Amino acid sequence: MDRNVTDRWIALYVENEVGVLAMVSGLFSGKSYNLRSLTVGTTERDDISRMTIEVESDDITFEQIKKQLNTMVEVIKVIDLTEVKMHMNEIMYAVIPGIDTEKKSEVFRIAQVFHLKPIDIDEHTVMLLSSLAPDKNDDLVKLLKRTFHRIEITRGGAVAVESLNNK
Amino acid sequence: MDITGRKLFVRALQEEGVDTLFAYPGGMINELTDELYKADSIRVVLGRHEQGVVHEAEGYSRETGRTGVVLVTSGPGATNTITAIADAHYDSIPLVVFTGQVPQNLIGNDAFQEVDIVGMTHSVVKYGVTVRNRDDLGRIIKMAFFIASTGRPGPVLIDIPKDIQIQSGSSEYPDTVDIRGYKPISGVHIGQLKKAYKLLSQAERPMILAGGGINIGHANEALTEFVHKMGLPVVTTIMGRGAIPTDDPYFIGNLGLHGSFASNKAVSECDVLFSIGTRFNDRITGDLNEFAPHAKIIHVDIDTSSISRNVVVDVPVVSDAITALVKMMEWAKPLKIQSWIEEINNLKSEYPLEMKKKKETLCPETIIDGINTCFKEATVVTDVGQHQMWTSQFLAMRKGTKLITSGGLGTMGFGLPAAIGAKIADPDRCVICITGDGGMQMNMQEMATAVTNNAAVIICIFNNQYLGMVRQQQQLFYGKRYEITCLRRRTGCSPDCKGPSDACPPYVPDYVKWADSYGVSAVRVESEEAIIPTFEQAEKVTKAKKIPFLIEFMISSDELVLPMVKNGSPISDMIL
C-alpha cells in the first residue's frame, strides 16, 4: 500500500478555554501523530480560537487525526487545508552576529531578494524579520547557514487562511 | 433566588434522576457530601477504595443502561479513579465522575491534595473540565450527563473547586444543552446502508461480526431477527458475546486470539464481513495483513473515529446498531448460502470448543457448565485473565443472561466491584462474579462494600495459584521460566523453579478464613460432584442473608486457554 507520507494542514476552530491547547497537543503526542507546527490565536469572537496545524502523515493516519479532533468536545470545526488554496505565512526572526561590513552588505542583499525586513542592527549584528511561507523560510535558513559563520533563528510557526477564491 | 453550588449540585443529580451515587469522602467534597445527607432520594454507596468505587459505578451502568455517577475528593481520591475511568472509556460505559478540587486561589500552588486531574485524564475521558465559574455549574453538569450517555457512551469528569461549591449563584438547572462542538449522530445515511446491504446480499460467503455495540445499543433482538431472516452466520467479539443467543444455530463462536477454530477460519475465508459495533481491536484481528483477506468489509458504528482505524473498510456506515438493523430488516431476504453454512458447520465439528478434562482436577469448563445449569437468569461479571476467557468461551448466553467484563483495557480488579455495582443496581437479580485468585486480590477490600450494602454477590474464585494468563505465555513461549507469576512463591524458593511441587509454600490468603472475617460464608470446592450443590447453596444463602457467598474453586495450575493465537500471528494460525 502506498503510505503517501507528506505534510498536511488543518485549520481548527476551538473553544477559547483553559487547557484546550494542551488537550489538542496532547492528542498528537498521546497517539504518536507527527505534529510539525501548531499556532493559535483568537478570532473575531473572544470565545473562539483558531489553530493552524501542520502534520506529517499518511492518508489513513490523516483521516484518523481529523476524526479524533472532531470527537473532542472543545473542537468546534476541523478544516482540511491540504487540498485548499490558502495564504500561509510564518513570522521568523534571523539574527546574524559577528559580521564585518562586507558580510553586512551580503545580509542586505539577501534581505532584498527575499523581501525581508532588517529590523535591528548594531556594529556587528543584523536582525531580519521574515514573514514568508514556511517552506521559503526553510530555504532561507539553509542559505543563511551556508553563508554565515553563525546565525540565530526564532520561528513562530505557520498561520494559514483559506483564499477568497476557493471554488 | 440564588443558591449555593453545593445545593445546585444535589439538585442537578435529582433532576437527572440519579438514584445511586458511588462515593468516597474527603476534604474537598465535605460540602457536597453534607448536602447529600439531606437528600433522601439519592442512595450514597460508600466504597473502600476509589478505583473500586468507579468500577462499582461501571457495573451499575452496565446492569441498568443508565449513567453511573461517582463522587470522590481531590488529589489521591481523584488519581485513584484513573484506571477505572480508562476502563470505562475503552468499553464505552457512560459515567459522570465528580472530583473535588482545592479552592481556585490555591490551584497551582501544590496545595494539600491538589492534582491536575483534568489534565491527567484527558486522554481517557470523553470530556473533562474544571468548573471555574459558579454560574457555569448547572450547564456543565447538564453537559456531562448529555455527553456521557449519547453517541458512543463514555466517562465524563467534572472537577469542582471548593469555592464553587460554597458560592451562591443561579438556582437554575437547564432542561437542555446545546454544545457547538458535540453533535451526537442520530439516524443513518440510507444510501450508504443500501450499499452495505447490496454487498451483503450478493455475498456467497457472508459473515456477521457483532461487537459490544449490539449489547450497549440493545440491538440483540433486532440482530437475531435480521440474522434469521437472511440466514447469516454470526461471530462475536468478547464484548459482543450474547449479541445473539449462544445456542442459536447461526452462532458460530467468538472471534480473535482465543476465538473458536470455526470462527477464526470462517472469517479468514469469508467474502463479505458485515461488522457492527466493534473497533477491530488487535485481540480480534491478529496480524492485520492477514485479517479476512478475501473479504469486502462493511463496518457499522456510531463512532466515526472507530471506522477505518484498524482495518480498511470498504463500506462505512455511521449509525447506531439498532437504527441500521431495523432499517435493513425491511430489505432482508434469505440468502442461498447452504454450502457455506455447511462448510462452517464442518469446521465446528472438526475442532469443537471444549476443554480436555483431567481426572484428578476440576475443569474450568465444568464449573461454568454448572453456572449454565443452575442459573437460568443471571448477570455474570468477570475479572481479567484465564477465567475471563473461559467464561467468554463457555458461558451460555440466553435471553436472561448478561455478561459484564473488562474488554478493552483488561483491568484486573474489575470483577468484584463491578459485580457489587450490578447487584446494588438490581438486588433481585442473581449476580455472579467469576474472578481469578490474582484479580480478586486487586480490589478485595470491596468485600466490605458488598457486605455493608447487602450486595449479595456469588463470588467464584478460580484459584490456580498463579497469574495464569501470563503463566500460560511463559509455559508456551518462555521456556517455563515462571518469573513473578507464582502466587505461592516466597523468599527462599529455588531460583530455577519450573512449576509446583509438594515442597511449595502454602498459598495466602486463605480465602475461606478471609471471607469468614467479613461474616461471609465460603466453601472451597475441589471435586466435580460438589459444584452443583455448592451453587445451589450459594443461591439459597445469598437470597436469605443478603450478603455475598464465596466459592473457591481449586483448579490445576497448568490449565490453558485454548485455542490461542500467538501475538502478531494471523487469527487462522491457531494453537489448538
Side-chain angles (χ1 to χ4, degrees), chain B residues 16-95:
Chain B
E16 291 296 334
V18 175
D19 56 15
T20 310
L21 177 66
F22 296 89
Y24 202 92
M28 289 306 134
I29 55 167
N30 280 343
E31 299 294 332
L32 303 180
T33 48
D34 187 49
E35 199 63 40
L36 284 163
Y37 184 81
K38 306 170 197 164
D40 293 336
S41 68
I42 302 172
R43 176 179 181 191
V44 185
V45 174
L46 167 66
R48 292 298 185 268
H49 182 287
E50 288 89 350
Q51 185 190 350
V53 167
V54 182
H55 287 320
E56 278 146 18
E58 289 185 272
Y60 170 93
S61 175
R62 271 278 186 264
E63 182 63 35
T64 59
R66 294 205 294 272
T67 299
V69 189
V70 169
L71 174 65
V72 297
T73 192
S74 63
T79 53
N80 276 343
T81 64
I82 295 177
T83 302
I85 289 174
D87 186 89
H89 181 64
Y90 283 108
D91 286 348
S92 313
I93 300 178
L95 296 183

Side-chain angles (χ1 to χ4, degrees), chain B residues 413 416-417 439-448 509 511 514 518:
Chain B
L416 177 63
M440 180 67 190
Q441 291 186 58
M442 277 210 183
N443 267 318
M444 68 199 298
Q445 78 286 341
E446 295 306 312
M447 181 66 111
Y511 285 109
W514 172 79
Y518 288 84

Side-chain angles (χ1 to χ4, degrees), chain A residues 1 15 17-18 22-23 26-27 31 45 47-48 60 64 67-68 70-76, chain B residues 118 122-123 126-129 132 139 143 147 179-182 303-309 312:
Chain A
M1 194 195 311
E15 300 286 349
E17 283 171 4
V18 179
M23 284 175 203
L27 178 80
K31 301 201 184 294
R45 292 184 56 166
D47 59 341
I48 298 179
I60 293 169
Q64 190 52 221
K67 285 176 180 174
Q68 289 292 334
N70 257 318
T71 63
M72 292 178 63
V73 174
E74 298 85 351
V75 169
I76 300 163
Chain B
V118 172
H122 79 236
S123 63
K126 207 172 160 190
Y127 180 62
V129 70
R132 289 172 196 274
R139 182 179 56 84
M143 271 175 79
I147 292 170
I179 309 162
R180 56 190 171 188
Y182 179 77
D303 176 20
T304 49
S305 66
S306 286
I307 296 177
S308 283
R309 185 178 194 180
V312 180

